[in-house]
């Protein structure tokens, strides 16, 4: 009996050890993939900055217009690198647990109005047709969360919608009151996301269309930051293919649900 028990315990310990080894292997693979992705994302802007800076030094562009163009490329690529590094620092804070959300009560309807007002010049420039849907639009919609981080989630969704919409240029932002949550959704007209990409889209540096991602200047980290913020709030988020478009959504706790 003692021998049988010892063998059983040894077998259980061996299974746990194998599981731990597999977990460590998966973590190591994730680290390698992440480092490779960061290197790849920084490689292109660094190469362009170096190439155009050398061109300026060698006077390849001998007129003011040419020099201005070279400088614009260098500044734009430096901006993209700065965006990647900043998003990496934010993501590192979220995932390490060193950042704590600062919960407060605020009106998410008012936050949305402020953001839309800020985006109006860009929406007009891009010829985007924006529709806002609110339930009880005349009343406050008080929620409980980190206002700054929820704004970051909304900004990432709005930027994503602008960068990836099709020629119909349609965007719709909705606030939906639920039992104890408010669901915020951002829809944009576009082709559907492939089914095998839906569960990967919130992964760092994952891009459905790499060519378009490079063209719009995104860091590839916006949606992974959304994931980290929502997980810190213990609230859901996701993406859905809709008719003639794509809808990204997230939820936030209602502060007035007990009185509704």
């Amino acid at each position: 009996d003692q021998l049988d028990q010892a063998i059983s315990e040894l077998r259980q310990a061996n299974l746990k050890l194998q599981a731990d080894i597999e977990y460590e292997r998966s973590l190591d693979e994730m680290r390698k993939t992440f480092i490779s992705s960061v290197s790849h994302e920084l490689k292109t802007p660094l190469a362009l900055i170096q190439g155009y800076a050398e061109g300026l030094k060698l006077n390849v562009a001998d007129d003011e217009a040419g020099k201005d163009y070279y400088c614009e490329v260098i500044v734009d690529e430096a901006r993209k690198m700065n965006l990647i590094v900043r998003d990496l620092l934010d993501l590192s804070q979220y995932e390490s647990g060193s950042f704590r959300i600062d919960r407060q009560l605020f009106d998410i309807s008012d936050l949305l109005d402020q953001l839309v007002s800020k985006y109006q010049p860009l929406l007009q420039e891009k010829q985007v047709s924006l529709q806002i849907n609110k339930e009880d639009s005349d009343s406050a919609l008080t929620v409980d969360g980190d206002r700054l981080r929820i704004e970051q989630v909304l900004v990432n969704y709005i930027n994503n919608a602008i960068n990836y919409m099709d020629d119909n240029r349609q965007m719709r932002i909705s606030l939906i009151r639920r039992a104890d949550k408010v669901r915020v959704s951002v829809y944009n007209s576009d082709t559907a996301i492939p089914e095998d990409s839906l569960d990967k889209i919130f992964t760092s540096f994952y891009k459905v269309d790499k060519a378009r991602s490079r063209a719009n200047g995104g860091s590839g980290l916006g949606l992974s930051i959304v994931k980290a913020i929502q997980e810190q709030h213990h609230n859901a988020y996701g993406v859905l293919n809709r008719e003639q478009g794509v809808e990204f959504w997230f939820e936030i706790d209602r502060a007035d649900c007990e009185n509704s």
Side-chain angles (χ1 to χ4, degrees):
D1 288 344
Q2 290 175 346
L3 181 59
D4 183 63
Q5 183 179 354
I7 292 173
S8 178
E9 289 174 354
L10 185 60
R11 186 180 294 112
Q12 292 298 321
N14 188 46
L15 289 174
K16 184 178 183 304
L17 179 60
Q18 288 180 348
D20 289 343
I21 291 172
E22 287 301 318
Y23 178 69
E24 287 298 325
R25 283 176 179 168
S26 66
L27 281 181
D28 189 53
E29 190 63 33
M30 287 173 63
R31 291 190 195 100
K32 289 179 180 177
T33 301
F34 186 76
I35 291 170
S36 174
S37 297
V38 172
S39 302
H40 177 75
E41 289 297 320
L42 293 177
K43 182 178 179 181
T44 301
L46 277 172
L48 286 170
I49 289 171
Q50 181 180 354
Y52 278 88
E54 289 175 351
L56 283 174
K57 186 177 180 180
L58 296 172
N59 291 318
V60 173
D62 54 4
D63 60 341
E64 288 303 315
K67 290 177 181 178
D68 285 345
Y69 174 73
Y70 274 47
C71 289
E72 286 173 7
V73 171
I74 292 171
V75 169
D76 186 54
E77 294 303 321
R79 178 191 62 80
K80 290 174 182 176
M81 285 181 60
N82 182 59
L83 176 64
I84 293 171
V85 172
R86 188 187 66 196
D87 284 348
L88 277 170
L89 289 173
D90 281 347
L91 191 60
S92 176
Q93 281 189 324
Y94 292 134
E95 294 185 341
S96 67
S98 61
F99 181 85
R100 294 288 180 267
I101 60 174
D102 180 20
R103 283 188 175 271
Q104 56 184 291
L105 303 185
F106 66 94
D107 182 359
I108 195 165
S109 178
D110 182 59
L111 172 61
L112 176 58
D113 289 342
Q114 291 178 29
L115 274 179
V116 169
S117 179
K118 289 179 185 178
Y119 270 88
Q120 277 305 324
L122 180 61
L123 295 174
Q124 291 175 3
E125 177 189 338
K126 300 284 188 179
Q127 299 181 324
V128 176
S129 175
L130 174 63
Q131 178 184 346
I132 304 293
N133 294 336
K134 298 181 185 178
E135 296 179 358
D136 303 322
S137 58
D138 294 331
S139 61
L141 198 52
T142 307
V143 295
D144 179 5
D146 189 320
R147 189 183 190 280
L148 182 62
R149 301 304 160 184
I150 294 302
E151 179 178 349
Q152 193 174 4
V153 172
L154 256 174
V155 164
N156 279 330
Y157 275 178
I158 292 172
N159 286 340
N160 192 73
I162 292 173
N163 288 333
Y164 289 96
M165 63 176 49
D166 61 14
D167 292 339
N168 291 323
R169 318 301 295 169
Q170 300 291 317
M171 185 191 300
R172 182 173 65 250
I173 306 176
S174 304
L175 299 181
I176 304 168
R177 192 192 304 262
R178 298 198 162 186
D180 59 348
K181 308 280 184 183
V182 172
R183 174 172 284 209
V184 184
S185 68
V186 179
Y187 164 92
N188 64 277
S189 57
D190 197 10
T191 54
I193 296 173
E195 289 297 322
D196 60 353
S197 294
L198 287 174
D199 61 345
K200 303 172 186 173
I201 199 106
F202 288 90
T203 304
S204 300
F205 294 113
Y206 184 81
K207 299 172 183 177
V208 177
D209 187 336
K210 294 178 175 58
R212 288 177 61 188
S213 297
R214 173 64 192 166
N216 67 45
S219 70
L221 292 168
L223 294 179
S224 55
I225 288 175
V226 168
K227 174 185 175 182
I229 291 174
Q230 285 302 106
E231 288 179 350
Q232 288 237 349
H233 278 84
H234 304 292
N235 276 324
Y237 60 94
V239 57
L240 298 166
N241 283 322
R242 298 296 192 187
E243 185 177 357
Q244 298 181 336
V246 177
E247 177 185 306
F248 284 87
W249 61 271
F250 71 94
E251 292 183 343
I252 184 170
D253 298 319
R254 280 180 58 188
D256 59 347
C257 57
E258 294 180 356
N259 300 323
S260 61

